[in-house]
Amino acid sequence: MPLRPRLLRAGDLVRFDGRLHTVAALEGTAVRLVEEGQSPSVVTLAHLLSGEDFEVVTPVSVRTVVSAAGVLEGLPDKAARRAEWWQGHLVEMLTGRPLDTLLPH
């Protein structure tokens, strides 16, 4: 049985149901998949992860952290700094690597 990914992100290429799909969006437990030349489809995350042939094809080295630019705008400086600290901490816990090693330079 293949290893399951620790993270699934928008933009990842996945194998599911015998075909390659791009993860277009994740919202709650729903995953929107787009197969080249086909209409988008929506599946539950549980259904996707339990697929016999499910696999994240995107190499880990290509995966990037999406910037949250603009999300913290308007917050007091102290709250924004604290949110940025939590982001770095959580990314390191989930990936095993510090955030600054995952960001493009």
Side-chain angles (χ1 to χ4, degrees), residues 23-102:
V23 176
L26 296 140
E27 185 173 328
T29 62
V31 182
R32 180 176 297 271
L33 301 174
V34 178
E35 184 181 354
E36 190 172 327
Q38 302 292 323
S39 297
S41 60
V42 176
V43 298
T44 65
L45 181 60
H47 181 70
L48 179 68
L49 295 176
S50 66
E52 294 268 333
D53 64 341
F54 173 74
E55 172 187 14
V56 177
V57 179
T58 307
V60 174
S61 62
V62 173
R63 301 173 102 197
T64 59
V65 175
V66 178
S67 170
V71 173
L72 302 177
E73 283 182 26
L75 289 178
D77 285 342
K78 184 177 179 181
R81 285 193 311 274
R82 186 76 175 153
E84 289 168 346
W85 179 88
W86 273 110
Q87 177 190 24
H89 180 66
L90 291 170
V91 167
E92 186 168 355
M93 284 181 57
L94 293 170
T95 66
R97 296 174 59 195
L99 178 62
D100 61 348
T101 66
L102 299 172

